[in-house]
Amino acid sequence: ELKVEQNPLFLSMQEGKNYTIYCNYSTTSDRLYWYRQDPGKSLESLFVLLSNGAVKQEGRLMASLDTKARLSTLHITAAVHDLSATYFCAVGNSYNTDKLIFGTGTRLQVFP
Amino acid sequence: DADVTQTPRNRITKTGKRIMLECSQTKGHDRMYWYRQDPGLGLRLIYYSFDVKDINKGEISDGYSVSRQAQAKFSLSLESAIPNQTALYFCATSDSRTGPTQYFGPGTRLTVL
């Protein structure tokens, strides 16, 4: 059974600092997603990672995938308040890659 | 206009009532999904549909049913609502031709008293 774990669950960080959110999953998959959710809002797609070693960057966010370690990271560079949100990773089931299993989310709060 | 819409956005109902949540999309996507979100548990897949004639159970389908009335419409029903079905419900779509990303609707907040 595929399980997805994120850590930390809550992250409070100062503006300008760097930090990494980790997403571990338990069985083979080569499809990993990162989503952002603002309070009371829907989920917004950030990245889709489709192969081992994939790296994608958008602004201050960079995501990577290591399928051998079953690990994805979301790195935040020089955080700003606008990045405050909850970040979810989701992994596609190896038999049915559209059947996503979500992590519990990391609530990020960036303060001045 | 939003590409994926959900109605109603908020609903309060009583235990034992039948409830239908509706999802419509103008993205032309063939695949549609229903998820529920509970605090501390992330999102869990209830049902998904790859085309009008294809319906599949997700992680937590018990107590729910779905109907794919057309490519653009996918409804979720709670035949007899119970309090532990209180949650935020999201519809999502994806396109088998263009890529794996799932696009989410705005959500329906359902409260069962």
Side-chain angles (χ1 to χ4, degrees), chain B residues 3-104:
Chain B
D3 295 322
V4 184
T5 57
Q6 293 182 232
T7 56
R9 295 293 312 280
N10 288 283
R11 182 71 184 267
I12 300 173
T13 191
K14 294 183 179 179
T15 298
K17 294 291 187 181
R18 184 178 187 274
I19 294 295
M20 179 181 285
L21 308 183
E22 298 187 341
C23 177
S24 294
Q25 52 113 347
T26 58
K27 298 177 81 68
H29 289 175
D30 54 343
R31 300 182 173 187
M32 298 186 74
Y33 311 80
W34 275 105
Y35 292 89
R36 70 177 273 177
Q37 183 177 27
D38 297 278
L41 292 178
L43 278 78
R44 292 179 291 168
L45 182 63
I46 307 172
Y47 271 97
Y48 60 103
S49 169
F50 284 173
D51 65 39
V52 175
K53 297 181 180 179
D54 176 78
I55 301 288
N56 303 282
K57 292 183 177 181
E59 287 180 83
I60 53 163
S61 58
D62 287 349
Y64 301 95
S65 62
V66 291
S67 173
R68 185 85 183 264
Q69 302 95 321
Q71 186 182 44
K73 295 184 183 294
F74 192 35
S75 300
L76 175 72
S77 293
L78 288 68
E79 296 300 327
S80 180
I82 56 177
N84 75 3
Q85 291 177 313
T86 294
L88 188 55
Y89 289 85
F90 286 103
C91 172
T93 73
S94 69
D95 190 332
S96 61
R97 299 163 297 174
T98 60
T101 301
Q102 294 185 18
Y103 297 89
F104 285 78

Side-chain angles (χ1 to χ4, degrees), chain A residues 31 33 35 37 42 48 96 98, chain B residues 31 37 48 100-102 105:
Chain A
R31 186 171 291 193
Y33 305 74
Y35 284 89
Q37 185 180 35
S42 186
V48 181
N96 181 346
D98 286 281
Chain B
R31 300 182 173 187
Q37 183 177 27
Y48 60 103
T101 301
Q102 294 185 18

Side-chain angles (χ1 to χ4, degrees), chain A residues 11-107:
Chain A
L11 177 56
S12 181
M13 57 189 298
Q14 195 171 16
E15 281 189 330
K17 298 293 186 181
N18 303 332
Y19 209 83
T20 300
I21 299 170
Y22 297 88
C23 176
N24 291 90
Y25 53 97
S26 60
T27 64
T28 301
S29 177
D30 57 2
R31 186 171 291 193
L32 190 134
Y33 305 74
W34 284 97
Y35 284 89
R36 168 182 172 145
Q37 185 180 35
D38 292 298
K41 303 292 186 183
S42 186
L43 280 78
E44 173 191 355
S45 177
L46 294 174
F47 303 108
V48 181
L49 304 169
L50 299 176
S51 61
N52 186 41
V55 177
K56 291 196 174 180
Q57 184 166 4
E58 180 73 32
R60 300 175 187 273
L61 300 178
M62 183 173 70
S64 65
L65 178 62
D66 181 343
T67 58
K68 294 180 181 178
R70 299 176 184 165
L71 171 68
S72 179
T73 60
L74 180 66
H75 186 72
I76 302 156
T77 301
V80 293
H81 180 71
D82 285 352
L83 290 179
S84 297
T86 299
Y87 293 85
F88 291 95
C89 66
V91 180
N93 182 297
S94 59
Y95 299 104
N96 181 346
T97 53
D98 286 281
K99 192 173 176 180
L100 298 186
I101 304 297
F102 278 77
T104 52
T106 296
R107 185 177 170 196

